[in-house]
C-alpha cells in the first residue's frame, strides 16, 4: 500500500531551527512535495524534490533520499507565522499526490 | 502566477438543499482540476478529478450522483453538493496544475460548508 509517516505535532521556539521528517511508501515515484497549511486555510506550495539532495529556498529547505523513502523539511529562523501544518506529499506513478495528516508545528515565543 | 479562485468561501445551508461551489483558474488553463474534502485534523481526501469536456473521475466511495461535477471550460469547474446533509459539512478545496503532470498543485482558498 501507499502511506506516509510524519510526526503529528512538533513544538519549536521563535528564531530556532526545526526539521520535520517524512517517510513514505508509494507505488512508483514522481517526486515529493511539501505544502504549508494554516488552520482553516487551503495548502500552499513550499517545495518539490525529485532528485536526491537538498533544495534550498530562503528560510525553507527540503531534502530527499529516494533509496530510503525519506524526506525532511528544514525551517530556519522560525517566525510566529510559521505556526501551521506541514504536509509531505509524494507523487506516485500515476502522478497522484498521496496525502497524510501532516505535522502541526507550534511556535512559541 | 497560477492563481486558483474558489467561491464561496463559506456557506451555510439547510439539510436537503443543494450547494454549488465554483473553482476558477485565473491566469492559466486547466484541463484537469481536482476536488478535495478535508475534515478537521484529517488529511486531504481526493473526491474526484474533473476533466474539461468529459465526465469526472470519482474516487472509490464518493457518490457521483450526490457530488455533481461540471468542467465546462478550461478555466471553470463546479462542484454541486446535492441534497446536503449535516455529515456533508466539511472543508472543500479545489486545485489545478498550471504545467506538466509533476508540477505543483495550486489550491483555491477552500469552501467551508455547514449543513444545519
Amino acid at each position: 500500500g501507499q502511506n506516509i509517516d510524519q510526526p503529528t505535532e512538533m513544538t519549536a521556539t521563535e528564531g530556532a531551527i526545526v526539521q520535520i521528517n517524512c517517510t513514505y511508501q508509494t507505488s512508483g515515484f514522481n517526486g515529493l512535495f511539501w505544502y504549508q497549511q494554516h488552520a482553516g486555510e487551503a495548502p500552499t506550495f513550499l517545495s518539490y524534490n525529485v532528485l536526491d539532495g537538498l533544495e534550498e529556498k530562503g528560510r525553507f529547505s527540503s531534502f530527499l533520499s529516494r533509496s530510503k523513502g525519506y524526506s525532511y523539511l528544514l525551517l530556519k529562523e522560525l517566525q510566529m507565522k510559521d505556526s501551521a501544518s506541514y504536509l509531505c506529499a509524494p507523487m506516485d506513478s500515476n502522478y497522484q499526490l498521496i496525502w497524510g495528516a501532516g505535522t502541526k508545528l507550534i511556535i512559541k515565543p | 502566477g497560477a492563481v486558483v479562485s474558489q467561491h464561496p468561501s463559506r456557506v451555510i445551508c439547510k439539510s436537503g438543499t443543494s450547494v454549488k461551489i465554483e473553482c476558477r483558474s485565473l491566469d492559466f488553463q486547466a484541463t484537469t482540476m481536482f476536488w478535495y474534502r478535508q475534515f478537521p485534523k484529517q488529511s486531504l481526501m481526493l473526491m474526484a478529478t474533473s476533466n474539461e469536456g468529459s465526465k469526472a473521475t470519482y474516487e472509490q466511495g464518493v457518490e457521483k450522483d450526490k457530488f455533481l461535477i461540471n468542467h465546462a471550460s478550461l478555466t471553470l469547474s463546479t462542484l454541486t453538493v446535492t441534497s446536503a446533509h449535516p455529515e456533508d459539512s466539511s472543508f472543500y478545496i479545489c486545485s489545478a496544475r498550471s504545467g506538466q503532470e509533476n508540477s505543483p498543485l495550486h489550491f483555491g482558498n477552500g469552501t467551508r460548508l455547514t449543513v444545519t
Side-chain angles (χ1 to χ4, degrees):
Chain A
Q2 309 198 101
N3 69 281
I4 296 164
D5 191 24
Q6 291 180 247
T8 304
E9 187 174 297
M10 298 181 71
T11 302
T13 304
E14 190 177 14
I17 299 172
V18 71
Q19 177 174 312
I20 302 174
N21 295 322
C22 169
T23 57
Y24 62 89
Q25 286 182 309
T26 55
S27 300
F29 182 75
N30 278 300
L32 185 143
F33 293 82
W34 282 94
Y35 280 83
Q36 180 190 61
Q37 186 176 23
H38 285 99
E41 299 181 10
T44 55
F45 168 71
L46 289 178
S47 68
Y48 172 64
N49 295 67
V50 66
L51 299 176
D52 289 351
L54 187 69
E55 294 278 345
E56 296 186 77
K57 192 186 290 186
R59 293 190 299 116
F60 293 3
S61 302
S62 55
F63 172 84
L64 176 67
S65 169
R66 289 170 296 172
S67 63
K68 296 181 179 178
Y70 168 71
S71 175
Y72 69 72
L73 181 70
L74 190 72
L75 293 77
K76 303 176 184 177
E77 302 169 17
L78 286 170
Q79 302 175 11
M80 297 303 293
K81 67 178 182 179
D82 297 330
S83 292
S85 288
Y86 291 86
L87 313 178
C88 163
M91 179 177 276
D92 68 13
S93 58
N94 293 321
Y95 296 96
Q96 293 273 24
L97 286 173
I98 311 302
W99 300 93
T103 298
K104 182 178 180 181
L105 178 63
I106 300 169
I107 309 297
K108 294 186 175 180
Chain B
V3 177
V4 176
S5 174
Q6 187 173 339
H7 177 81
S9 57
R10 288 182 181 275
V11 59
I12 300 172
C13 70
K14 292 186 177 180
S15 187
T17 60
S18 295
V19 173
K20 179 186 281 189
I21 302 169
E22 291 189 349
C23 180
R24 295 179 184 273
S25 55
L26 296 186
D27 50 1
F28 66 99
Q29 293 184 330
T31 55
T32 303
M33 290 185 175
F34 303 90
W35 287 96
Y36 287 89
R37 181 168 57 181
Q38 188 176 35
F39 293 104
K41 298 185 179 180
Q42 293 189 20
S43 63
L44 290 166
M45 189 196 81
L46 180 65
M47 298 176 66
T49 301
S50 171
N51 304 298
E52 187 269 333
S54 64
K55 292 183 179 180
T57 304
Y58 289 82
E59 296 299 305
Q60 193 171 6
V62 178
E63 300 173 57
K64 61 180 67 177
D65 294 331
K66 180 170 182 62
F67 299 99
L68 301 179
I69 291 173
N70 183 277
H71 195 153
S73 77
L74 286 171
T75 59
L76 174 64
S77 176
T78 61
L79 168 68
T80 301
V81 183
T82 63
S83 187
H85 291 285
E87 57 265 31
D88 298 323
S89 298
S90 187
F91 191 46
Y92 293 85
I93 322 173
C94 71
S95 65
R97 291 194 177 96
S98 59
Q100 297 176 343
E101 288 175 304
N102 63 346
S103 59
L105 279 180
H106 300 281
F107 288 87
N109 288 331
T111 297
R112 177 76 56 192
L113 172 63
T114 303
V115 184
T116 61

